[in-house]
Amino acid sequence: MHMIPVKTGRPYSVLVQRGILQNAWQEIAKIKNYKAVCIVTDDQVAPLYLDVVTRSIPDSVRVEQYAIPHGESSKNGENFFRLQEFFASCKLTRSDLIIALGGGVVGDLAGFAASCYLRGIDFVQIPTTLLAQVDSSVGGKTAVDLPQGKNLVGSFYQPVLVLCDPDTLSTLTPEIFRDGMAEVIKYACIWDASLTEKIKAAADPAVLEAVIARCIEIKAEVVAQDEFDNGVRMLLNFGHTIGHAIEQHYHYETYTHGQGVAMGMYTITRISEELGITKPGTAEIIRELLLGYSLPLTDSISTRDIIDLSLVDKKSRDGGIHLILLSQMGKAEARFYPRQELENFFLVRDRLTW
Ligand code: GLY
C-alpha cells in the first residue's frame, strides 16, 4: 500500500492500493468511531461500487445513500441544497461522516456540501476515475458550477482521508481513462520528468498504480506548500488556460477536460519553445506522450478566441493572466502576462505549422 501524507492545515492521508474499496471502513474507522455515514455517489458508480463500500461497514453504523445523476450538469446549486436537505432529514450530526464515492463531479459536490452542512462535517473521498484519483480528490478544492461558469462557488475543505483503488479504473471507458492520463502527463511536464517512461508503460497495472501514487505525492507536496492557491499550486494549471478556452468555446460538449488540457499543454509548449523559453524538443516529448493515449494535440479554434476566452477565465487578474511555462520536461514556472504581452504570446501560434 502507498500511504501519502498531505500536510495541510488539517492533515490527512491518501491510501493507494488495489482492492482497498473492500476494506474501506476498516481504514475509515482508524480516524474516528463514526456512528452514521452518508455515501454520496452517482447513478453510474452506484451499481458498480456502492455495495462493496457499504458491505465494508459494520451493522452498528447507520448507512444512508444518495445517488445523483452522473455528469457535470449535476454539479449545481440545486443538487447542493437537495443534499443539505437529505443530510438534515437523516439527522446527520457533526460527529457523523459523508463519503464521496465517484469521479470529480461527486467529489466536488459532496465535498462542498460537507464543508457547509452544520458549518462542516467530516468527509472521505473515494475517487473512482483516474482524473479524480490524481487530481480532484486531493487538495481540498470543492465547488459547484453556475450558469456563468464552472466551479464558481466553492470552498477549500480538506477530506479526512482519501482511499484510492486503482482497480476501479478497469470499469472506465477508454475515453474517460485517457481524460485522466492528460493530468498524469501534466505531472511529468511540471514536476517529474522521470515519469515520462513510466507513463509509456502504464498499461501494466503495477506500473499504473506506482504512477498514480507518484502523481498524488506530487500533488500532496504542491498543496502542502500552497494550500490556498496563491503560489506554487498555480503550476497545476499547466495547459489549463488554453484547455479551458477550447472547452468553453465548444460549450463543454466537444472535448473532455483532459482533451482540452492535452491541447493546451502541447500548444503552449510549441509557442514557448518557439520563443526560446523552453528547451527545444520538449513539445515533441509531450506530443509522443499524448498520442500514446490518443489525446488530441490541436484544434481549429482561432487564436483570437483563445485570447478573448483566456482573459475572462476566472484565473485572470488585472487584465492579464499567469501562464504556466516549462523550461524543460519536469520544470515549470508561472509568468504573469499583461493583456498586450499575452496577445503577442498567443499570436505566435499563427506562425507555427500544426
Ligand atoms: N486541480 C488543481 C488544483 O487542485 O489546484
Side-chain angles (χ1 to χ4, degrees), residues 95-144:
S95 49
D96 298 324
L97 180 73
I98 309 294
I99 293 179
L101 172 68
V105 168
V106 166
D108 283 8
L109 172 69
F112 184 45
S115 79
C116 293
Y117 181 66
L118 303 179
R119 298 200 178 88
I121 174 172
D122 284 0
F123 91 111
V124 169
Q125 289 268 22
I126 307 187
T128 57
T129 64
L130 181 56
L131 192 139
Q133 292 184 355
V134 298
D135 185 25
S136 59
S137 67
V138 181
K141 281 190 181 174
T142 75
V144 293

Side-chain angles (χ1 to χ4, degrees), residues 135 138 141 186 219 223 229 233 236-237:
D135 185 25
V138 181
K141 281 190 181 174
K186 179 188 80 181
K219 177 117 195 213
V223 168
D229 210 6
R233 191 164 179 169
L236 298 175
N237 292 327

